[in-house]
Amino acid sequence: MDDVTKSVSSGWAWITAVSGGKAVRAAGIIIACVLLTIAGFQYLTPLAALEGQVSDRIQAAAREAPDEQHRQISIIAITEKTLARLPYRSPVDRGFLADVLDAIQDAGVRSVAFDILFDQPTESAKDQRLAAAIRNFPAPVIVAWADARAGLTKKQQKWLESFIEASGAERGGAGLAFDNDAVVRRHEPFDSTTENRSLPAALAQADERRGAPIAWLGKTKDDKEPFQVLPAHSLKLMAKRPAIIKRWLNDRVVLIGADLPQTDRHQTTLSADPAFPATIPGVVVHAHIVAQLLDQRSLQSLGNIGLVGLLSIASLIGVAVGFSGRAFWLQGLAGLVFLAGWTGVTLYLGKRYSIILPLTPPLFCFAAAFSVSASLDALRHRREKAFVRNAFSHYVSPLLVNALMADPKQLQLGGERRVMSFLFTDIAGFTSMSESLPPTELTRLLNSYLDGMSEIVLAHGGALDKFIGDAVVALFGAPVPQEDDARRAFTCAIELDVFAEKFRQAHAEKGMGVTRIGVHRGEATVGNFGGKQRFDYTAMGDAMNTAARLEGANKAFGTRIAMSKEVLEAAGAIDAPLMQEIGNVILKGRRSTVQIFTPLADMPESALECYNEALRISETRPVDAVRQFQELEATWPDNPLIQFHARRIEAGETGTTFELKEK
């Protein structure tokens, strides 16, 4: 039980660790919590959405109201009242849009952007008129552009491209950047796929290529919207009064788009602000981005290094509180102080310096580090009493664990002579398979196999002595004596064979070989062998070696299970109808013979009687024995022992007693 030794040793080392060991554990907890937090908030949508919503509320609380509406931006909105005046709702009447553009032609605007996709033809004359109005407009005009990523068909894309080319407008990507919770919080000014600028970047003539959080504007101090919004139909009505239109729009950038209840509305960071509706039109989102680009404003945030440092500090505080050993109510109070303090810091920095720091990841990191460290600290006080049970519960059945707990002296160094049963297993061709499989796949496969084998051994009350690569060594009758150790070993071997065959068939394409099993019963010395600092619970003696030789002998016989007569007699299975005798075998490294049997399935009793008779006459009448074996082979070709004995006798080796030259 070498693995038991390792578990016991590590248990004692954990119990007796001094401050240096605690520092190592603390460092491990901090690193794990930081990595887990970063991964969780980056890849898990619920956590990312939680931080996004909290950040939205912090920005809402920290946002200062401007003195007045933005002086450089105006929105011409197509509203329901506008559509009510048009001959049809969709697409927006191109002749009407041309009228709007004509109305503001002499207003001295700096540039105009249509947040409207011209992706299909309408009335030809009106389409041509709008294209001409854009082409003849005295300031730059940007037209919303999109492709298949926005759901446009090839036909729609082709028409959009032709309209942009005919009008001479500049392309501006109209798509928005959504977080995993479908909230708009960032702006991507440049599309690396198409080399196009976004609509806001094109309107502001900005060359920035990196995305950034949107610095949203709040309502003014007198509760006005951040931007001047003019209904589109009012521009046409005011076309005869150009001086008023010029006063409204002179030296401004103008966005033309829809402000409709059910169309192109999006949830944004502003949704957390009670002063704003749950969703805002896409054209207004673009206006906020344009304002940020024109004003060259930005929200300051931590980079990756800063985030790691912040989370490390939060984890360090959590570990310090968890390992402090203080009363739980004091530790809880420290957690509340950290929560309140960090919330206050984030609000202050956001309001005073426009620095947006993450709130929930540091709190998550603190809570995780505190929980783990406090749990480990509490567990440390109970570890000494429980380490025997925790270690041996993986290797012996619960009944044996209880017996060991009742008499821990059985774990002392020393041994005793005892009659018990031994079981060895091994996978044929495992070395070749291990060389052909990738390490990760091999590990998963072997662990799954050993897990199933171990469960069966423990279910039959056996003790797992050791794993030797793919081999399993089990003891029955130790460390606590069992009156029915042979019966347990016998039934365990049968069940192991069934499991191993199913496992092999399920993984045959990976080269999984058959599992060979050897079972023997005899006297051996069992106990703890080693030194005071490290010992191994195992058995030593000829009986254990014989069980190992029986497992290997299956290769020569072509069988999967080889059991000695000693096991079968003690188990009361020597006269079982489906036990096939192999013979009296001198195993490699032994002088005396071992009578060996193998269990069978689906074998007629008459065929087994013929086999036993052929085996008996093989010494005095070898020719008749060979003929009888050959007849059996014709009707029972899958039985390996018939072929084995037929070849052996033909080679001149008669009788039921023979020697194996190899292990």
Side-chain angles (χ1 to χ4, degrees), residues 48-164:
L50 172 64
E51 171 56 19
Q53 293 166 11
V54 170
S55 178
D56 294 345
R57 283 163 174 77
I58 291 175
Q59 292 184 54
R63 187 180 298 114
E64 292 187 358
D67 294 328
E68 59 183 355
Q69 290 180 324
H70 202 284
R71 290 191 171 191
Q72 301 182 67
I73 300 174
S74 291
I75 299 173
I76 297 177
I78 299 170
T79 65
E80 286 291 344
K81 290 183 178 180
T82 304
L83 295 179
R85 298 169 181 264
L86 301 180
Y88 43 81
R89 289 181 62 90
S90 179
V92 179
D93 187 274
R94 304 279 166 81
F96 170 77
L97 294 177
D99 291 339
V100 171
L101 209 55
D102 290 341
I104 66 174
Q105 185 170 6
D106 298 325
V109 301
R110 292 161 55 184
S111 56
V112 176
F114 280 97
D115 185 25
I116 301 171
L117 277 175
F118 302 122
D119 59 346
Q120 56 184 299
T122 60
E123 299 165 80
S124 179
K126 291 182 178 181
D127 292 342
Q128 293 176 18
R129 184 182 165 209
L130 177 59
I134 294 173
R135 186 170 58 252
N136 297 326
F137 197 79
V141 177
I142 294 90
V143 169
W145 181 90
D147 57 13
R149 290 172 292 178
L152 269 65
T153 64
K154 291 183 178 180
K155 184 178 180 180
Q156 288 175 302
Q157 294 180 62
K158 183 177 180 181
W159 205 94
L160 175 60
E161 293 288 352
S162 66
F163 180 84
I164 292 176

Side-chain angles (χ1 to χ4, degrees), residues 167-380:
S167 66
E170 181 181 348
R171 294 174 179 81
L176 298 174
F178 296 92
D179 285 354
N180 290 337
D181 55 352
V183 178
V184 179
R185 297 187 177 94
R186 293 180 56 82
H187 168 234
E188 297 296 337
F190 183 79
D191 187 347
S192 59
T193 303
T194 62
E195 299 293 322
N196 288 336
R197 287 186 294 186
S198 68
L199 189 144
L203 187 61
Q205 294 297 302
D207 294 324
E208 180 63 45
R209 299 174 71 91
R210 293 184 301 177
I214 301 174
W216 304 91
L217 292 173
K219 288 191 175 183
T220 64
K221 291 181 179 179
D222 55 354
D223 201 34
K224 292 181 180 178
E225 296 297 326
F227 309 104
Q228 179 192 66
V229 180
L230 303 173
H233 55 277
S234 69
L235 270 296
K236 185 176 180 181
L237 295 175
M238 297 295 292
K240 295 181 180 180
R241 307 181 69 178
I244 295 177
I245 296 178
K246 185 170 184 177
R247 188 169 66 248
W248 288 343
L249 302 178
N250 184 50
D251 200 31
R252 289 173 175 257
V253 297
V254 176
L255 294 100
I256 303 174
D259 183 0
L260 303 172
Q262 304 296 329
T263 303
D264 192 28
R265 301 188 70 88
H266 308 284
Q267 188 176 358
T268 69
T269 299
L270 293 174
S271 302
D273 192 336
F276 287 89
T279 60
I280 62 175
V283 68
V284 177
V285 176
H286 289 313
H288 279 274
I289 300 170
V290 172
Q292 179 176 348
L293 294 173
L294 291 175
D295 300 341
Q296 296 184 344
R297 290 180 291 107
S298 64
L299 291 176
Q300 302 298 321
S301 60
L302 291 177
N304 292 333
I305 296 178
L307 178 61
V308 171
L310 177 61
L311 296 181
S312 298
I313 293 173
S315 298
L316 177 61
I317 297 174
V319 168
V321 174
F323 278 144
S324 65
R326 301 292 183 181
F328 183 75
W329 71 269
L330 285 174
Q331 293 179 336
L333 180 62
L336 292 176
V337 170
F338 180 80
L339 170 62
W342 183 243
T343 302
V345 168
T346 55
L347 286 172
Y348 174 77
L349 293 178
K351 190 174 186 67
R352 184 67 182 271
Y353 300 105
S354 295
I355 298 176
I356 304 301
L357 295 179
L359 177 63
T360 50
L363 297 180
F364 180 89
C365 231
F366 171 86
F370 166 73
S371 300
V372 173
S373 56
S375 299
L376 290 178
D377 198 51
L379 181 63
R380 180 175 59 85

Side-chain angles (χ1 to χ4, degrees), residues 385-593:
K385 293 182 180 180
F387 87 96
V388 172
R389 178 183 297 275
N390 291 339
F392 276 91
S393 63
H394 297 288
Y395 303 94
V396 296
S397 68
L399 293 176
L400 299 185
V401 174
N402 292 334
L404 290 173
M405 292 295 293
D407 185 13
K409 292 182 180 180
Q410 296 185 69
L411 288 176
Q412 295 177 353
L413 288 175
E416 60 175 312
R417 298 288 292 179
R418 184 184 300 176
V419 175
M420 53 192 297
S421 298
F422 307 90
L423 186 149
F424 279 72
T425 77
D426 193 32
I427 301 175
F430 178 78
T431 301
S432 299
M433 181 184 70
S434 64
E435 293 174 350
S436 62
L437 290 178
T440 54
E441 187 174 355
L442 176 65
T443 301
R444 287 195 299 267
L445 183 68
L446 183 58
N447 285 345
S448 178
Y449 168 82
L450 292 177
D451 185 56
M453 298 287 280
S454 301
E455 287 185 3
I456 294 172
V457 171
L458 297 180
H460 287 274
L464 290 169
D465 180 35
K466 60 176 69 70
F467 297 123
I468 308 173
D470 61 299
V472 178
V473 182
L475 310 178
F476 293 85
V480 177
Q482 296 167 317
E483 293 182 359
D484 58 345
D485 61 275
R487 168 57 63 175
R488 291 173 181 269
F490 173 80
T491 56
C492 180
I494 302 298
E495 191 170 337
L496 286 175
D497 179 62
V498 173
F499 166 79
E501 270 300 284
K502 289 182 179 179
F503 193 90
R504 179 187 67 81
Q505 293 170 8
H507 300 87
E509 75 283 356
K510 298 175 183 176
M512 188 75 182
V514 300
T515 295
R516 301 183 180 122
I517 303 172
V519 189
H520 182 58
R521 187 173 190 266
E523 189 177 64
T525 301
V526 61
N528 296 305
F529 300 93
K532 293 182 179 180
Q533 298 300 319
R534 177 182 173 84
F535 55 83
D536 184 14
Y537 186 90
T538 188
M540 295 184 179
D542 180 67
M544 190 170 187
N545 294 335
T546 299
R549 296 289 188 271
L550 287 174
E551 177 273 312
N554 283 292
K555 181 178 181 180
F557 304 144
T559 54
R560 297 197 303 267
I561 303 177
M563 296 184 177
S564 67
K565 178 181 179 182
E566 288 78 0
V567 168
L568 296 179
E569 285 183 338
I574 189 66
D575 296 324
L578 293 183
M579 294 303 300
Q580 185 177 10
E581 182 181 357
I582 297 175
N584 297 306
V585 184
I586 302 174
L587 299 171
K588 179 71 174 180
R590 289 177 54 90
R591 295 181 180 178
S592 59
T593 62

